[in-house]
Amino acid sequence: MTAAADPTATAGPGGERPPEAEPDAAELARRRRLRLLLGAPVAIFLALAALFLARLNVGGDPSLIPSVLVGRPAPATTLPPLDGLVRDGAAVPGLTPADFAGRATLVNVFASWCGPCRIEHPLLMRLSEDPELFIVGINNKDQPENARRFLGALGNPYAAVGADANGRASIEWGVYGVPETFVVGPDGTILYKHIGPINEASLAGPFGAAITAAKQAAAARPPG
């Protein structure tokens, strides 16, 4: 057998192979860079996942994710009305900052394509029967005909609806997704932000308490 064909030709006297050559500094640096490049996406994913879970695990309730807008004045949002929307025989107006002056207001961000919006809608209809509560809607990235059909089928709890066709106003309100609902006091301050569909439990919790506080503050304001 020739040396080229003999797998032990390069072995030492005891049959062991000689140690491989140590990598030089350039090769070690290349390997470190490769490990960093391969590990970075995993580290970023784990960090984002940890942040997401930490926020969602505030009492196990995603509606308790804090909002930087709570305790601050509501954004000075002006939106055009939802084209063709009528309530009680009159055109429903769009959204203006004056809507929040001197009364307790709910600002509900909704869309016809939003499944959870359908779930919460009966409760919005019930809340709209409260004469002390003014409910306005921000229609997020919707088609007017779809939004009108949605409200025509389920009922219209809104005294005003602003058409947020490009979603910019929703971003100003710090909206994570649809639906979201804000409680605004008579001085225009955001008292509470509820993420996700409202339900009986939320009405019995901090969300409902914020509505009560807003109504009490409105009732305590001097006339005019």
Side-chain angles (χ1 to χ4, degrees):
M1 179 181 295
T2 65
D6 186 359
T8 65
T10 58
E16 72 277 8
R17 293 183 179 275
E20 296 181 358
E22 291 292 332
D24 58 19
E27 176 63 17
L28 289 174
R30 187 189 69 81
R31 292 181 182 180
R32 283 196 295 268
R33 287 195 300 269
L34 183 60
R35 284 195 296 269
L36 289 173
L37 288 173
L38 293 176
V42 176
I44 293 172
F45 171 79
L46 292 176
L48 291 175
L51 177 61
F52 180 76
L53 290 175
R55 288 186 173 183
L56 290 187
N57 284 333
V58 181
D61 186 353
S63 70
L64 299 181
I65 296 175
S67 170
V68 296
L69 293 181
V70 172
R72 298 184 180 182
T77 301
T78 300
L79 288 171
L82 182 62
D83 187 36
L85 183 62
V86 175
R87 179 182 179 184
D88 299 329
V92 176
L95 195 62
T96 70
D99 291 326
F100 312 127
R103 53 192 170 192
T105 306
L106 284 190
V107 181
N108 178 250
V109 185
F110 76 102
S112 65
W113 45 262
C114 162
C117 294
R118 295 179 178 271
I119 296 174
E120 73 172 3
H121 205 81
L123 282 180
L124 285 174
M125 292 298 298
R126 194 174 86 194
L127 288 171
S128 70
E129 298 173 0
D130 185 345
E132 298 181 87
L133 193 59
F134 190 73
I135 303 181
V136 301
I138 295 178
N139 185 224
N140 179 264
K141 296 182 179 180
D142 213 346
Q143 296 297 322
E145 59 273 20
N146 292 340
R148 289 196 306 269
R149 192 178 300 115
F150 174 87
L151 295 175
L154 301 180
N156 180 13
Y158 308 112
V161 176
D164 186 19
N166 58 13
R168 183 169 300 174
S170 299
I171 292 174
E172 292 175 354
W173 281 79
V175 170
Y176 288 91
V178 183
E180 290 189 9
T181 306
F182 299 81
V183 182
V184 182
D187 61 350
T189 299
I190 295 177
L191 302 181
Y192 192 82
K193 173 182 179 177
H194 181 83
I195 298 175
I198 59 176
N199 53 36
E200 295 291 351
S202 56
L203 287 176
F207 175 68
I211 293 175
T212 299
K215 294 195 297 184
Q216 290 175 344
R221 289 173 68 91

